[in-house]
Amino acid sequence: MSVHPSMDRDSTEWWASLAAHALIFQRCSECQTWRWPARAMCHACGAFAWRWQPASGRGEVASWIVNHHVFLPGVPAPYVVLNVRMAEQPDLVLPGAFEGPYDDPRLVIGAQVEAGFADCPGDPPAALLRWRIIQSIA
Amino acid sequence: MMLRDRTAVAGVGWTEYAKNSGVSTLTLALRAIGSALDDAGIRHSDVDGVACHRVGDSVQAVLVAQALGIKDLRYHLDMFGGGGTSHQVVAHAAMAVATGMAETVVCWRAVNARSEFRMGGTGRAAPDALEFQYQLPYGYATPPQQYAMLARAWMHARDAKPEDLGRVAIAQREHARLSPRAMMRTPLDMDAYLASRWIAEPLRLYDCCLETDAAVAVVVTSAERARDLAQPPVLIAGAATGGGHTLFSNGRADATVSAAAELAPRLYAAAGIGPREVDVAQLYDAFTFLVPLQLEDYGLVERGETGGFYADGHASLGGLLPVNTHGGHLSEGYVHGLNHVAEAVTQLRGAAGARQVAGAEVALTTGQPGYVGGTCSALILRRDGDPVHSSGQATAPMGNEGNGA
Ligand SMILES: [Zn+2]
């Protein structure tokens, strides 16, 4: 159902954390702005000092698509991809898979979701995000 | 130094649009450039600058320069980027000419986008973008999917219905039917639009542009020199680039407003021309919803009013602001923005035949509004002659009741 993620030198730790079923983001040590994907510099204040910090794992559906076309071998259609806006900060938006049927009536913009993790075969160990609805507004 | 009116598009050229060109992108580029030089009445030995953009899907700029026989290349640009950079390439050519680095720069886009390298699809590796690692594992990496994600958010915010996107596809198909060059010339109605298969909901087949094997070229030179050439010059009144954030760079919390909104005020100020003075608009339309989105972000129609604007026929020939008069990427063919520049020039020359916008003096032509690549670029072109338009002040957008053009 997925493809093993490629990683870069900035993102290795984020993917390693996901493999251990923990969602983390960088947080600026100076201005406390959250950021993702991993970058060396804070885009808000220019500081280089930062730390990884565990996230709530909660957010809301910013948008979603239903793929009716086999875009990638091994990922059968139809399937949903979500963009989730994290509770931590409105411009922290992550894609992920959806735990539920592609025509789930609870799936609407603004629905509250929580991160789950789906292990992904391959080396190094990896997991992907799989969001589940915890409160729909539909 | 301002760029305003210092340079001009002196020639435009196209290859045939095909499903399989059977030739290399180098040959496509040379054919389009040859056609544009013939149009301008310039010899290939007079070209001293070349400029293109590409995403690993076309020939290198310097190879084209060598094939043109340029012994001393005074200016070249080989930019990484998709449709967001399409108009920036022309702007850079104008900057090179205006600053004296070069006299005559050819700009082109040449792709075998149907037969060789489909965008994000088979035939080539994923583009050199760090962000792809966060999408690809979910089976999420191609433009229709990325734009569908943004289309849903925009449609939700504007309460837009499928029919609102359908009207864009239909209006442009009607324009394409008047153009011998267009790939898609069979009539399209709402039933056929709504019945077309889902690609990535909320986008259907007819919301998606037509990947094409084709090249388009434009020749940029000084306004002064252009006046001595074969065609009436079309002045580059203003150019701007802007934006930068994608959904993967933080900073874009709202996906319902594009990078075009950032650059539009600079673009109008650079040209000294306001949105109400635009007579015809060629708006980057890899997907239908980008057209109403840009009508909003370029201040041409009030936010939330684009559905009515289309329903009332204002975006069609004879309407307040004809949009994508060649059929656009949806129906003419997908040459990643440069065919929009070529159509704007054709309209301003008054040479568009059955699809001519009467009295067109000012055209807005735009690149991809920065939704995926982050950056956006656009041009305002105008017919040569005394400036007939006055303001340059940002004026109120055209509403349905506006008098527009
Ligand atoms: Zn900071």
Side-chain angles (χ1 to χ4, degrees):
Chain A
M1 274 296 286
S2 62
V3 169
H4 197 271
S6 62
M7 302 168 193
D8 65 66
R9 289 184 177 190
D10 291 323
S11 71
T12 305
E13 205 164 339
W14 187 80
W15 283 112
S17 172
L18 219 58
H21 292 198
L23 181 58
I24 59 175
F25 297 115
Q26 282 173 300
R27 198 162 190 196
C28 177
S29 301
E30 296 292 329
C31 76
Q32 311 304 320
T33 299
W34 296 85
R35 68 181 186 266
W36 181 87
R39 299 289 184 257
M41 178 190 276
C42 174
H43 62 88
C45 77
F48 281 91
W50 56 270
R51 63 190 181 277
W52 288 110
Q53 192 163 318
S56 66
R58 297 203 169 187
E60 63 172 32
V61 174
S63 190
W64 87 99
I65 58 173
V66 184
N67 302 279
H68 289 264
H69 184 79
V70 176
F71 286 99
L72 201 67
V75 186
Y79 62 99
V80 170
V81 177
L82 297 179
N83 261 2
V84 173
R85 174 170 290 118
M86 299 305 301
E88 278 75 12
Q89 194 171 286
D91 63 351
L92 214 52
V93 180
L94 283 74
F98 177 55
E99 189 173 296
Y102 76 93
D103 55 356
D104 193 327
R106 300 173 307 156
L107 189 50
V108 292
I109 287 177
Q112 301 295 304
V113 292
E114 187 174 65
F117 304 89
D119 289 324
C120 184
D123 182 54
L128 297 176
L129 288 166
R130 201 172 148 97
W131 300 96
R132 58 176 167 269
I133 292 178
I134 51 175
Q135 191 191 337
S136 179
I137 57 170
Chain B
M1 182 177 77
M2 287 195 73
L3 196 60
R4 187 189 296 177
D5 298 340
R6 295 169 68 98
T7 61
V9 176
V12 290
W14 299 260
T15 62
E16 281 187 343
Y17 288 18
K19 291 181 177 174
N20 184 352
S21 71
V23 299
S24 67
T25 53
L26 173 56
T27 292
L28 284 177
L30 291 171
R31 286 179 181 170
I33 291 166
S35 162
L37 293 173
D38 286 348
D39 179 57
I42 294 178
R43 290 164 46 81
H44 70 102
S45 53
D46 290 335
V47 175
D48 58 4
V50 298
C52 73
H53 70 95
R54 57 198 178 98
V55 284
D57 56 1
S58 190
V59 62
Q60 299 96 310
V62 291
L63 280 185
V64 172
Q66 288 157 14
L68 285 168
I70 302 173
K71 299 286 191 289
D72 184 17
L73 187 62
R74 292 174 59 182
Y75 177 80
H76 86 269
L77 175 72
D78 196 343
M79 180 174 278
F80 179 88
T85 55
S86 58
H87 288 58
Q88 198 170 344
V89 167
V90 179
H92 276 265
M95 286 157 60
V97 169
T99 55
M101 283 193 73
E103 278 187 9
T104 303
V105 181
V106 290
C107 310
W108 71 90
R109 179 76 169 124
V111 282
N112 281 322
R114 188 73 161 260
S115 65
E116 278 193 300
F117 299 109
R118 304 196 70 163
M119 287 290 280
T122 54
R124 68 187 173 98
D128 176 21
L130 286 173
E131 296 87 348
F132 269 63
Q133 63 184 295
Y134 304 110
Q135 304 178 53
L136 202 58
Y138 300 103
Y140 171 55
T142 68
Q145 298 172 292
Q146 295 163 329
Y147 285 93
M149 192 70 86
L150 299 159
R152 168 103 55 193
W154 182 84
M155 291 174 77
H156 177 79
R158 301 291 181 268
D159 197 24
K161 303 289 183 263
E163 288 80 1
D164 292 317
L165 302 192
R167 286 188 191 98
V168 176
I170 292 165
Q172 294 192 195
R173 181 62 60 85
E174 286 301 306
H175 292 162
R177 294 183 67 208
L178 302 173
S179 171
R181 182 174 294 111
M183 295 276 281
M184 300 293 277
R185 302 181 63 200
T186 53
L188 177 67
D189 64 19
M190 190 60 79
D191 288 344
Y193 167 81
L194 292 171
S196 70
R197 66 187 167 90
W198 290 117
I199 301 298
E201 267 181 75
L203 298 182
R204 295 170 165 82
L205 179 67
Y206 289 134
D207 290 306
C208 303
C209 67
L210 199 64
E211 288 179 296
T212 312
D213 287 10
V216 171
V218 307
V219 180
V220 175
T221 190
S222 68
E224 193 178 17
R225 178 157 190 249
R227 292 187 181 106
D228 295 330
L229 295 173
Q231 298 288 346
V234 169
L235 301 179
I236 298 174
T241 71
H245 293 299
T246 70
L247 286 174
F248 293 95
S249 59
N250 289 159
R252 177 173 283 179
D254 181 2
T256 69
V257 176
S258 76
E262 307 282 343
L263 75 82
R266 284 200 300 281
L267 177 67
Y268 292 121
I273 287 172
R276 296 184 76 118
E277 295 165 296
V278 174
D279 299 316
V280 59
Q282 319 299 349
L283 305 179
Y284 196 95
D285 58 328
F287 302 95
T288 46
F289 87 102
L290 291 176
V291 181
L293 170 111
Q294 288 174 92
L295 284 170
E296 294 180 343
D297 287 351
Y298 283 102
L300 298 162
V301 178
E302 296 277 6
R303 290 196 201 290
E305 301 290 324
T306 59
F309 194 80
Y310 266 89
D312 293 343
H314 291 320
S316 295
L317 282 170
L320 287 176
L321 180 67
V323 176
N324 291 343
T325 47
H326 50 335
H329 294 139
L330 299 171
S331 282
E332 187 196 58
Y334 185 36
V335 201
H336 303 194
L338 209 54
N339 51 327
H340 287 36
V341 178
E343 174 68 6
V345 169
T346 304
Q347 287 285 345
L348 296 175
R349 287 180 181 174
R355 62 181 197 283
Q356 179 65 46
V357 174
E361 294 185 4
V362 173
L364 169 66
T365 175
T366 72
Q368 194 266 107
Y371 254 19
V372 173
T375 61
C376 173
S377 57
L379 300 168
I380 291 178
L381 305 179
R382 74 173 182 90
R383 206 158 70 184
D384 194 17
D386 295 334
V388 285
H389 298 305
S390 49
S391 69
Q393 301 295 314
T395 51
M398 263 185 245
N400 283 338
E401 306 307 317
N403 60 11

